Amino acid sequence: MSAETTPDTAPTTGPDTVPAPAGAPTSVSGWGRTSPTTARLFRPRSYEEAADAVRACGARGTIARGLGRAYGDAAQNAGGAVLDMTGLDRIRTVDVEAGVVVCDAGVSLHRLMEVLLPLGWFVPVTPGTRYVTVGGAIGADIHGKNHHVSGSFTRHVRSLDLLTADGTVRTVDADSELFDATAGGMGLTGVILRATIQLLPVQTSLMAVDTERAVDLDDLMTRLESGDHRYRYSVAWIDLLARGGATGRAVLTRGEHAPLDMLPPRAARTPLAFRPRRLPAAPSFLPEGLLGRASVTAFNELWYRKAPKHRTGELQRISTFFHPLDGVPHWNRVYGRGGFVQYQFVVGYGQEEALRAIVRRISRHGCPSFLAVLKRFGEADPGWLSFPLPGWTLALDIPAKLPGLGLLLDELDEQVAGAGGRVYLAKDARMRPELVERMYPMLPQFRSLRAELDPRGVFTSDMSRRLGL
């Protein structure tokens, strides 16, 4: 059975985009708010309008943009054009029996959850926010807490429609080179217009969650290695300010979609209801230094101590388990006007000592990060510039004005590259270009295909120029 569904509300524009008339110069930044640039902003509402905008983009080219959750400069294009794709927001069809959705690239994961959860289906992969578009999820090849089981987002995409530099639309199947270049290709092969996605069946909209504390990094890694195979979802919050014997102490949270027979009677009456909580937005202005070492140290101590040493079977809303920060609109403002850098890297299995050395170095530097998570990745994904590889991934948020931050991150980049790892492009805002080929060995093939597909360099971004992608 197939049912066609159309969203009843349009998603908002990117959170750090200033609304302006079509084609007017507009200040655009990433979620980290570190390096805004000015571009002409267009918001097409049809495939034809998107094609017209690409043909008329001018010498500085264009890049597609979704809801603005890339942390760095991947969806910015100084002096050129930016296509705000949130106007293309239609869910075309849902095959309720097969669990397959066909939707436009501007549809958000939030909207998919609103429509699909009541039908017994869930998105196959979700990152730490549901306010990303399908096009952004493919362009960044996002991953979530279930990579060790399910891989990244594009592993579940059957096909996509891609608007290429000559203004034509190609249907790209998942077993093609163009698909592999587009998966994680940061929008540089073309504008994703539509995707066909295989979904995950669920019985309820609640999660069955187990929580435990780890006393240090070695204890955490042992628990992850020995127990992750029992869970679909696994993530650890890690205290990067703890030192000495407590270095790397953490709270480990793992879960599964709760079965119907686990729900109490009241919840069982509406088992697939999706009701995310929403708190007041963060103020537009907060004093600099609010998230300094002292305040984050106190927060980390409280967060670690209040976590249970061991608890099993707690029922949580999907929004609480996957997207706790989505309940606070514009939470990125808490870092002040200076913004923040999110740094995420992965090193392979067998490189545990490199991970330990990096954690110790971050701890010694005193990086005030209260959003630091460690996860394990499974099998690498086929995207040429996809981030995950089998190993350990650590992500942390750091105030951009932290003294010595640039030098520290440059040194960490060298450690990561020396261990055969890589930095996540969708979160990068400052990496040096000479390291990219060491981290992404398929980059020469990506450049070659891109040059053939787009010889005039129509699709370009601040990131592509900075890193020579």
Side-chain angles (χ1 to χ4, degrees):
M1 180 177 68
S2 228
E4 184 171 298
T5 312
T6 303
D8 51 16
T9 58
T12 59
T13 58
D16 289 286
T17 301
V18 179
T26 305
S27 178
V28 179
S29 79
W31 190 245
R33 307 171 77 201
T34 56
S35 53
T37 56
T38 299
R40 293 176 295 117
L41 189 70
F42 297 89
R43 191 168 187 248
R45 293 188 174 274
S46 68
Y47 297 170
E48 291 76 17
E49 287 186 10
D52 289 343
V54 167
R55 294 188 189 101
C57 66
R60 290 285 285 182
T62 189
I63 194 70
R65 180 181 176 90
L67 286 167
R69 291 304 179 104
Y71 285 78
D73 53 2
Q76 300 173 209
N77 183 25
V82 170
L83 298 187
D84 177 349
M85 297 299 291
T86 56
L88 291 169
D89 60 355
R90 188 178 179 190
I91 297 176
R92 301 284 173 164
T93 62
V94 180
D95 187 327
V96 179
E97 293 183 352
V100 176
V101 63
V102 180
C103 63
D104 289 346
V107 174
S108 70
L109 298 192
H110 173 84
R111 184 59 181 147
L112 287 181
M113 292 176 197
E114 285 184 322
V115 171
L116 298 172
L117 265 171
L119 303 175
W121 297 97
F122 189 61
V123 294
V125 171
T126 177
T129 175
R130 60 187 180 275
Y131 294 112
V132 297
T133 62
V134 167
I138 296 170
D141 200 11
I142 60 171
H143 57 272
K145 298 175 174 69
N146 59 339
H147 190 276
H148 63 292
V149 173
S150 302
S152 61
F153 190 86
T154 57
R155 195 179 295 186
H156 307 273
V157 176
R158 292 185 174 184
S159 65
L160 57 88
D161 287 352
L162 186 70
L163 173 62
T164 52
D166 60 2
T168 62
V169 177
R170 305 187 187 195
T171 297
V172 184
D173 293 326
D175 58 353
S176 67
E177 283 194 342
L178 182 52
F179 186 95
D180 291 345
T182 303
M186 307 310 297
L188 298 174
T189 61
V191 179
I192 299 164
L193 297 175
R194 183 189 299 191
T196 301
I197 307 163
Q198 180 66 56
L199 304 168
L200 177 72
V202 294
Q203 294 182 16
T204 75
S205 60
L206 295 175
M207 303 296 298
V209 181
D210 294 351
T211 304
E212 57 191 289
R213 290 197 316 220
V215 299
D216 59 21
L217 182 60
D218 285 343
D219 182 30
L220 172 61
M221 293 167 69
T222 297
R223 291 171 187 262
L224 287 166
E225 285 181 305
S226 63
D228 266 6
H229 66 279
R230 299 195 300 268
Y231 298 88
R232 179 178 292 274
Y233 303 100
S234 175
V235 66
W237 169 87
I238 183 169
D239 183 358
L240 291 176
L241 286 175
R243 297 189 181 187
T247 299
R249 67 180 180 176
V251 178
L252 175 56
T253 307
R254 295 184 283 202
E256 297 281 354
H257 294 278
L260 186 59
D261 59 13
M262 192 176 179
L263 270 57
R266 183 175 178 180
R269 290 198 290 269
T270 55
L272 292 167
F274 181 55
R275 303 188 188 99
R277 291 175 177 156
R278 193 170 178 87
L279 299 173
S284 58
F285 172 77
L286 287 166
E288 299 292 340
L290 180 66
L291 295 181
R293 291 188 183 97
S295 58
V296 175
T297 297
F299 172 87
N300 286 359
E301 181 70 24
L302 177 64
W303 191 260
Y304 180 77
R305 294 297 175 188
K306 84 175 188 65
K309 290 185 177 180
H310 187 75
R311 180 174 62 199
T312 60
E314 179 191 13
L315 290 177
Q316 294 184 4
R317 299 182 186 206
I318 273 177
S319 57
T320 301
F321 181 76
F322 288 107
H323 316 119
L325 288 176
D326 280 349
V328 184
H330 301 289
W331 64 261
N332 58 338
R333 293 174 180 169
V334 303
Y335 290 90
R337 290 177 177 172
F340 70 101
V341 172
Q342 174 145 132
Y343 187 71
Q344 183 170 5
F345 68 89
V346 58
V347 293
Y349 296 125
Q351 293 293 335
E352 286 75 15
E353 189 50 47
L355 176 63
R356 293 186 186 98
I358 291 172
V359 169
R360 289 194 296 266
R361 191 165 197 164
I362 293 170
S363 177
R364 286 196 304 269
H365 195 87
C367 293
S369 176
F370 74 97
L371 296 174
V373 295
L374 183 71
K375 295 179 289 195
R376 295 171 75 247
F377 281 158
E379 182 182 349
D381 301 289
W384 289 353
L385 298 187
S386 291
F387 169 65
L389 55 82
W392 305 89
T393 181
L394 176 65
L396 60 150
D397 291 349
I398 314 169
K401 291 188 176 180
L402 181 72
L405 179 60
L407 178 59
L408 171 68
L409 295 183
D410 284 348
E411 292 172 346
L412 293 184
D413 287 346
E414 291 287 353
Q415 285 185 267
V416 169
R422 58 184 59 150
V423 170
Y424 192 14
L425 294 179
K427 296 183 177 180
D428 177 59
R430 28 68 46 205
M431 186 166 57
R432 300 195 314 273
E434 59 266 25
L435 289 175
V436 179
E437 280 194 31
R438 290 173 60 188
M439 294 180 176
Y440 290 88
M442 294 296 289
L443 182 56
Q445 290 91 325
F446 177 83
R447 287 170 173 158
S448 177
L449 184 144
R450 187 177 168 218
E452 179 182 343
L453 190 67
D454 182 10
R456 296 185 296 115
V458 169
F459 298 111
T460 189
S461 66
D462 291 353
M463 169 176 278
S464 72
R465 285 188 288 267
R466 174 171 59 85
L467 294 179
L469 302 179

